[in-house]
Amino acid sequence: MSAAATARPMAAAHGGEIDILRSFARRIDPSDAGAYNNLGVLYFRKGLTDEAIVAFSRALALDERMHVARRNLEIAYGESGLLERRLQELEERLRTNPADLEALVQSGIAEKTAGHLERAHSLFQRAIDLDQDSSVLHFLLAETLYNRGLHEEALRSVKQSIELNPDNPDALYLIGFILGDLGRAEEAADASRRAVQLNPTLVRAQANLSLEMYRHEVTPSQAHKTSAGAHITLGRAKLGRTAVAANMRGGKLLVTDSRTGSSYELPITDGTVRALDLRQIKTGEGDFGLMAYDPAYMNTASCRSAITYIDGDAGILQHRGYSIEQLCERSSYLEVAYLLINGALPTTSELDEWVRDITLHTFVHENIKAFMLGFRYDANPMGMLVASVGALSTFYPNANDIHDPEVRRIQIIRLLAKMPTLAAFAFRHNMGQPYVYPDNDLEYAGNFLSMMYKMTELSYKPDPRLERALDVLFILHADHEQNASTSAVRSVGSTQVDPYTAVAAGVAALYGPLHGGANEAALRMLQRIGTVENIPSFLEGVKAGEERLMGFGHRVYKNYDPRARIIRKHLDDVFEVRGMSPLLKVASELEKRALDDEYFTSRKLYPNVDFYSGLIYEALGLPVAMFPVMFAIGRTSGWIAQWLEMVEDPEQKIARPRQIYTGERDREYVPIEQRG
Ligand code: CMC
């Protein structure tokens, strides 16, 4: 599990909570820097800033490269109001012993946090004079010099930091920035690329890499070589432009309120302004302050996320920086789940352990089975899934200890492992067939097929083509950033409820026809069209606004949905096993004609993931009610990754939107006998 938690204060701890924290602190492995960082975050969230500072300092002492702990320490100093006191203490320590290296470093960090860059510069320099071989000290100095705008000096320092430790991703990302600013794009790209390789979750380096690629690739010498290359380049260029925007630090939005004539400067960060910054815009003393009104969150970023990147214009989808095409081509679903949740692709031994852990948790408690047997014979399997995932929380009551990384880890394994079992039980229930227990000799998708279709045979042998197609479908549905169900998981999870209940909220959101049900609508549409001859009249109806071409168009993609292209490739394999569907011909011809039609091209309407997925599910013998269930199995990994990111994100609090009240006020109560 990621140890890269970051800090932000939340609420004062009461006695019981302090006891729990102390008992957690006692259980920490004294050599585990990540655990100390997490402990610091917990302390900090509970307002125990002194303890947090000690814990972050301890984490740094154990792992001086732990950038996140250093940042947390800075935040703890900065936001606690203790900075001044801390600076005085450190000054005192340095007066007594000017060669106190730790005090020099901590003073440097504290001065840097306070914005006293010259002082920080001199403190780091003094620390280096005492310990010339510390890569981290040279990095800290370089960062300070860079912040002072002294690029050449910063470059010299960061180079020294890298010389002392060539695998320091922080120093590599920094050198990427500096070289970029000095116009040395190619070297900047190399350094940033290396930083990303060493630490794939280093978002700044990723943004920097994109930026440099963009700068680099727009030069004439880097002309696009193939159309595929051009496509990727375009994506990178766009990524780069995002990075350019992200790099415009210090940008401000100047606003004048016509009601009062007052002007305000709202800081712009990563292309956004903080809605809370609007609050200062008031007409007078009693005014609550301006709010942002954004029904359906059409233009509101609710979180920072390093999980999934989508460029809708270019038709690009990447998870943790890897393209969906590569992941579908080369990874298994469980490997992608590991990537989403942990931030990096697993090594062979990590993957083996991950798969083994998940495989060993596929069984559900017999009472869950009994619970599911209680549903009506024709219960919708999605309704059964919502209920049974939620019910899991009652079997694992300690799951609500969401601040304990080990407790979180085990629930994550259970959720991934048990979801296909619950889904298959729901299917068998619907079919009136006995439930089939998991077969742990099979792989994830194969085991699911076995639980779905096994009859009297001793063991079910899944066809490898179907198994792979299903695994790819799970990958394609794994995550899609802040969609409705993921937002539901984050929103419910923000109450600090256990992950089973949060995921049940995600399944509930997916149940809706506008989200998980579009593939069903696409299949029904194809069935209704029936033959190729009926396509022209159907398209005329769509163009006349009588209905929609289901499986076409997307809120985000204004290009071919990359997922649709991948599904299309796997259709042939499935049909080879299950026999050709006459509807495939209709779908292919419909796609061709729509893409030739100005109505669709001018509106940028292309096939989305749902255009072909219904055909595959149908070929697998699934009733339409099971389609969203299939989606839910794959999306579980994304929900978990997003939930985990939210739990570890210090900026997140309980999700609680505001409203514009439109009702009446201060009405006189009318007794019932007097009401007309
Ligand atoms: N067929 C015909 N016209 C369409 C379609 C369509 N499928 N989608 C959009 N349009 C037209 C729409 O009529 C409008 O035309 P005009 O400008 O003349 O009024 C224009 O294109 C823009 O449409 P919009 O409704 O403003 O676009 P949106 O971003 O709000 O809607 C959408 C996105 C996915 C809801 C919509 O394209 C749609 O209803 N598609 C069909 C349903 C579907 O396939 N949904 C699955 C989406 S992928 C699932 C997932 O990623 O989770």
Side-chain angles (χ1 to χ4, degrees):
M1 221 50 45
S2 155
T6 48
R8 193 175 181 89
M10 279 169 80
H14 53 73
E17 283 176 332
I18 295 176
D19 288 345
I20 294 171
L21 282 177
R22 297 230 161 97
S23 102
F24 177 50
R26 276 195 298 277
R27 281 187 282 136
I28 282 184
D29 171 356
S31 63
D32 187 344
Y36 276 105
N37 179 52
N38 284 339
L39 177 68
V41 172
L42 295 179
Y43 276 139
F44 197 53
R45 284 184 168 180
K46 291 295 164 197
L48 301 169
T49 317
D50 280 345
E51 284 86 342
I53 287 176
V54 172
F56 294 139
S57 305
R58 177 101 197 101
L60 267 181
L62 287 166
D63 180 0
E64 58 172 18
R65 291 169 309 151
M66 198 171 185
H67 183 69
V68 70
R70 191 166 48 246
R71 199 155 66 86
N72 282 341
L73 190 59
E74 290 179 8
I75 296 172
Y77 282 152
E79 290 198 16
S80 65
L82 288 178
L83 193 57
E84 281 308 313
R85 206 180 82 198
R86 184 75 183 155
L87 277 169
Q88 279 163 13
E89 276 170 22
L90 290 166
E91 227 174 286
E92 194 48 48
R93 263 173 72 179
L94 286 173
R95 244 195 302 276
T96 328
N97 176 12
D100 182 339
L101 187 61
E102 197 198 320
L104 278 171
V105 177
Q106 297 224 3
S107 297
I109 293 174
E111 295 286 15
K112 189 157 137 303
T113 311
H116 306 146
L117 295 178
E118 280 178 46
R119 266 187 255 164
H121 177 169
S122 114
L123 285 157
F124 289 137
Q125 189 58 62
R126 278 169 61 192
I128 289 174
D129 293 343
L130 291 171
D131 179 4
Q132 309 217 336
D133 295 336
S134 162
S135 168
V136 171
L137 286 182
H138 286 283
F139 163 73
L140 286 169
L141 177 63
E143 207 178 34
T144 313
L145 290 165
Y146 179 68
N147 288 345
R148 291 188 63 195
L150 304 171
H151 290 184
E152 291 292 350
E153 287 91 329
L155 185 60
R156 272 198 295 279
S157 283
V158 76
K159 273 187 176 163
Q160 255 182 309
S161 171
I162 294 169
E163 247 169 55
L164 289 162
N165 177 8
D167 290 338
N168 180 345
D170 293 335
L172 285 163
Y173 103 73
L174 182 61
I175 201 170
F177 262 107
I178 302 171
L179 289 168
D181 284 349
L182 294 173
R184 292 158 63 176
E186 218 166 318
E187 293 166 80
D190 281 348
S192 307
R193 197 177 292 116
R194 208 163 133 54
V196 175
Q197 275 163 2
L198 287 165
N199 180 355
T201 58
L202 207 59
V203 181
R204 275 177 294 189
Q206 261 160 345
N208 197 21
L209 174 61
S210 318
L211 169 66
E212 296 318 328
M213 281 179 159
Y214 171 57
R215 284 183 183 161
H216 186 58
E217 284 169 357
V218 290
T219 61
S221 63
Q222 291 292 317
H224 303 165
K225 290 189 186 104
T226 62
S227 63
H231 185 66
I232 293 165
T233 304
L234 173 67
R236 284 182 185 152
K238 283 173 188 296
L239 224 77
R241 274 195 281 280
T242 315
V244 172
N247 276 323
M248 289 185 33
R249 300 189 202 292
K252 289 198 169 70
L253 180 70
L254 304 176
V255 184
T256 304
D257 186 346
S258 66
R259 300 170 302 174
T260 58
S262 304
S263 292
Y264 303 84
E265 283 188 353
L266 308 183
I268 300 175
T269 319
D270 299 325
T272 62
V273 288
R274 290 207 168 234
L276 259 187
D277 285 345
L278 298 174
R279 193 71 77 68
Q280 61 183 303
I281 305 178
K282 297 181 178 189
T283 49
E285 260 307 290
D287 187 353
F288 179 76
L290 212 58
M291 291 193 299
Y293 177 56
D294 188 9
Y297 307 120
M298 299 282 286
N299 194 34
T300 293
S302 62
C303 61
R304 291 171 175 278
S305 182
I307 301 173
T308 291
Y309 172 80
I310 301 176
D311 182 333
D313 290 337
I316 288 176
L317 170 61
Q318 297 181 345
H319 295 312
R320 302 283 190 186
Y322 297 101
S323 75
I324 188 70
E325 288 82 3
Q326 273 190 315
L327 293 173
C328 286
E329 188 76 33
R330 307 176 67 172
S331 281
S332 67
Y333 170 68
L334 287 187
E335 198 176 354
V336 173
Y338 184 99
L339 170 71
L340 290 170
I341 292 166
N342 295 289
L345 284 168
T347 60
T348 309
S349 62
E350 283 167 344
L351 183 61
D352 287 350
E353 193 185 333
W354 176 248
V355 171
R356 191 179 55 244
D357 280 352
I358 291 172
T359 309
L360 291 179
H361 284 84
T362 48
F363 275 70
V364 291
H365 193 288
E366 278 297 290
N367 288 0
I368 279 281
K369 189 179 140 197
F371 170 73
M372 293 183 82
L373 282 167
F375 280 94
R376 233 177 81 137
Y377 69 97
D378 58 352
N380 186 299
M382 231 8 211
M384 291 179 71
L385 194 65
V386 177
S388 50
V389 177
L392 283 182
S393 74
T394 65
F395 288 79
Y396 308 107
N398 74 333
N400 59 9
D401 191 0
I402 60 162
H403 294 304
D404 185 329
E406 184 48 30
V407 173
R408 289 200 300 251
R409 191 189 72 81
I410 183 71
Q411 315 316 324
I412 289 171
I413 298 283
R414 284 179 178 141
L415 266 165
L416 285 168
K418 296 183 198 308
M419 202 66 161
T421 312
L422 299 177
F425 280 11
F427 171 73
R428 301 286 292 207
H429 186 88
N430 218 248
M431 295 286 116
Q433 292 170 353
Y435 299 1
V436 176
Y437 287 113
D439 179 347
N440 287 350
D441 289 333
L442 295 174
E443 293 187 9
Y444 196 76
N447 171 47
F448 178 66
L449 286 169
S450 163
M451 292 188 290
M452 296 280 286
Y453 300 120
K454 181 169 178 291
M455 296 308 286
T456 54
E457 62 271 49
L458 274 181
S459 65
Y460 179 89
K461 301 253 171 306
D463 186 294
R465 287 162 296 182
L466 293 187
E467 206 176 350
R468 181 64 193 149
L470 195 57
D471 208 51
V472 167
L473 276 168
F474 289 154
I475 298 177
L476 288 176
H477 287 93
D479 194 53
H480 215 225
E481 49 122 305
Q482 309 310 315
N483 53 81
S485 59
T486 301
S487 304
V489 170
R490 278 184 175 259
S491 187
V492 172
S494 77
T495 66
Q496 305 199 350
V497 75
D498 66 88
Y500 301 105
T501 308
V503 166
V507 183
L510 196 62
Y511 201 167
L514 291 186
H515 192 2
N519 47 18
E520 173 184 344
L523 184 71
R524 289 199 196 286
M525 173 194 76
L526 292 174
Q527 285 166 339
R528 196 158 41 84
I529 298 172
T531 63
V532 170
E533 291 70 47
N534 295 334
I535 292 176
S537 63
F538 169 78
L539 284 179
E540 283 316 310
V542 170
K543 288 177 354 188
E546 288 160 17
E547 60 182 310
R548 288 207 159 187
L549 171 50
M550 298 310 286
F552 256 65
H554 197 276
R555 174 63 62 76
V556 179
Y557 293 116
K558 299 301 168 201
N559 200 322
Y560 211 104
D561 180 341
R563 300 169 301 171
R565 209 186 297 276
I566 296 167
I567 290 192
R568 183 75 183 82
K569 278 201 284 189
H570 285 274
L571 265 173
D572 295 340
D573 282 348
V574 174
F575 287 142
E576 203 178 292
V577 184
R578 292 286 171 145
M580 181 57 78
S581 161
L583 293 183
L584 178 62
K585 215 165 147 212
V586 179
S588 302
E589 191 58 28
L590 187 55
E591 176 191 337
K592 201 160 137 271
R593 297 212 192 167
L595 293 181
D596 269 348
D597 193 312
E598 199 269 339
Y599 174 92
F600 295 95
T601 49
S602 66
R603 287 170 178 78
K604 299 192 174 156
L605 300 171
Y606 296 89
N608 62 48
V609 68
D610 290 324
F611 193 66
Y612 288 112
S613 62
L615 280 177
I616 291 203
Y617 293 145
E618 193 207 26
L620 287 174
L622 293 171
V624 284
M626 274 299 284
F627 291 7
V629 173
M630 306 300 290
F631 192 153
I633 298 175
R635 186 54 58 87
T636 301
S637 54
W639 288 331
I640 293 171
Q642 301 269 352
W643 169 78
L644 195 61
E645 191 175 62
M646 184 215 53
V647 170
E648 291 188 338
D649 181 349
E651 281 204 301
Q652 292 295 336
K653 292 167 168 242
I654 185 166
R656 204 303 186 181
R658 297 271 173 183
Q659 64 165 6
I660 301 172
Y661 179 68
T662 58
E664 301 205 40
R665 298 269 320 266
D666 304 329
R667 296 169 88 181
E668 202 59 49
Y669 186 82
V670 183
I672 193 157
E673 56 281 4
Q674 291 173 24
R675 292 176 212 157

